[in-house]
Amino acid sequence: MQYKMMYLLALPGLAFFILFKFVPMWGLLLAFQQYNPYVGISGSEWVGLKHFIELFTDHNFYIMLRNTFAINLFGLIFMFPLPILLALMLNEVRHEVFKRVNQSIVYLPHFLSWVVVASLTFIILSSDIGIINKIMSEMGYERVAFLSNPNYFWGLITAQNMWKEAGWGTIIFLAAMAGVDPQRYEAAVVDGASRFRQIWHITLPAIRPTIIILLILRLGHMADVGFEQVLLMMNPLVTSVAEVFDTYAYSIGILKGQVSVGVTVGMFKGVVGLVLVLVSNYVVKKMGHEGIY
């Protein structure tokens, strides 16, 4: 075979997707059953769309929908452009040692667990032992309940994501920028273009396909919110703005043992993500750009 080595290299990734993405899809049957672990899937009662009807008529459904999309919208507005901006800045650094050191620094937060990030947030913003509130108190200002005020929750989640993942997100954009023909920059210099003009007319158009593809994929996750992050940052005072589909599926499906309801929530999220990907890809192609297929 001509591409035998290529197929061999792709085999581990393909095996991962088959084992952990495609094989578990049979579990979606649970959304249409009243699952009983003692009799298994084959012996559980079929209830049709009962769980979907109960989910859509639940008084918390629209609250969870609002919170989920609000958090993701904040991320789309503030988080998505940040890796692009950071990659453009790093790409302009000419001192290789300084560039690599800075890349390593901005990558590091990605490798911290959300438990560590939540702990750092508590140490910094807690109303009693938080560093910020201690400084404000010393300056004569009143302490602010950052972690228990619902008005701050969505912004806090977004800020955590920006700090933790922005650096890691630059990898793809830096790789795309590395593929830009250097002769285009040389021609721009000859024509008298400034660095900003080179970025605007050469770098950004060159990475536009990458930006579009990542944007489409990001829209496909609009129904997903980092479960561990939200669960760690939740408290009774911010439940009204923190309850999302992921935490609901955990509390109902795991803590209360209603596995079928948890699967129903997951299936609903998957359908929403699929629809958003198809619609956004269609719009992008109608605008004259290449989509993901």
Side-chain angles (χ1 to χ4, degrees):
M1 294 175 61
Q2 183 179 0
Y3 301 105
K4 180 172 62 176
M5 296 306 298
M6 297 290 290
Y7 291 134
L8 188 61
L9 288 172
L11 186 60
L14 185 62
F16 171 82
F17 274 94
I18 291 175
L19 289 175
F20 297 103
K21 300 295 182 180
F22 290 101
V23 172
M25 289 183 71
W26 65 270
L28 294 176
L29 293 174
L30 297 178
F32 306 98
Q33 292 182 320
Q34 190 65 47
Y35 178 67
N36 185 338
Y38 296 104
V39 297
I41 293 180
S42 59
S44 296
E45 178 188 359
W46 290 89
V47 295
L49 298 176
K50 174 187 175 183
H51 298 308
F52 290 94
I53 296 172
E54 290 179 350
L55 174 64
F56 297 145
T57 55
D58 191 308
H59 69 280
N60 287 322
F61 175 77
Y62 292 103
I63 295 176
M64 294 186 293
L65 188 66
R66 180 202 64 185
N67 296 342
T68 300
F69 277 92
I71 293 173
N72 277 299
L73 187 61
F74 270 65
L76 192 63
I77 295 173
F78 298 103
M79 173 61 190
F80 184 79
L82 188 58
I84 303 173
L85 179 61
L86 191 56
L88 290 171
M89 295 170 64
L90 289 172
N91 191 56
E92 293 300 309
V93 177
R94 293 294 172 258
H95 195 288
E96 285 299 320
V97 175
F98 181 77
K99 180 179 181 178
R100 290 177 181 178
V101 169
N102 277 275
Q103 282 181 294
S104 299
I105 291 173
V106 298
Y107 292 167
L108 282 177
H110 170 78
F111 298 99
L112 298 177
S113 72
W114 280 115
V115 175
V116 175
V117 175
S119 300
L120 289 173
T121 305
F122 181 81
I123 292 173
I124 295 172
L125 297 179
S126 174
S127 58
D128 49 358
I129 65 170
I131 297 173
I132 299 297
N133 273 306
K134 283 186 176 181
I135 295 174
M136 292 177 63
S137 180
E138 290 294 330
M139 296 176 63
Y141 295 99
E142 293 185 4
R143 293 175 179 263
V144 179
F146 293 107
L147 303 181
S148 57
N149 190 330
N151 295 327
Y152 298 136
F153 187 80
W154 294 343
L156 183 59
I157 293 295
T158 304
Q160 285 181 329
N161 277 318
M162 292 170 67
W163 179 77
K164 188 175 186 295
E165 302 296 346
W168 186 254
T170 62
I171 293 177
I172 297 177
F173 296 111
L174 284 172
M177 293 175 192
V180 181
D181 188 354
Q183 293 183 353
R184 300 179 64 183
Y185 292 109
E186 295 172 2
V189 171
V190 172
D191 291 338
S194 63
R195 295 302 304 175
F196 178 78
R197 287 293 182 183
Q198 293 175 44
I199 293 173
W200 187 258
H201 294 288
I202 298 176
T203 308
L204 284 176
I207 66 172
R208 184 184 298 136
T210 303
I211 295 174
I212 291 173
I213 290 175
L214 291 180
L215 178 60
I216 293 174
L217 295 176
R218 179 67 183 82
L219 290 173
H221 289 278
M222 286 295 286
D224 289 320
V225 178
F227 161 74
E228 185 179 358
Q229 178 192 14
V230 175
L231 185 67
L232 290 168
M233 296 306 299
M234 278 183 68
N235 61 70
L237 296 176
V238 298
T239 302
S240 61
V241 295
E243 186 75 274
V244 294
F245 291 115
D246 300 87
T247 56
Y248 178 78
Y250 169 73
S251 62
I252 295 295
I254 303 299
L255 299 183
K256 296 184 179 180
Q258 300 181 33
V259 178
S260 294
V261 179
V263 175
T264 301
V265 175
M267 189 172 182
F268 167 73
K269 288 169 48 185
V271 171
V272 171
L274 176 62
V275 170
L276 288 174
V277 167
L278 294 176
V279 171
S280 58
N281 187 72
Y282 175 80
V283 172
V284 164
K285 296 182 77 171
K286 279 293 183 180
M287 294 173 65
H289 302 291
E290 292 186 7
I292 58 176
Y293 62 89

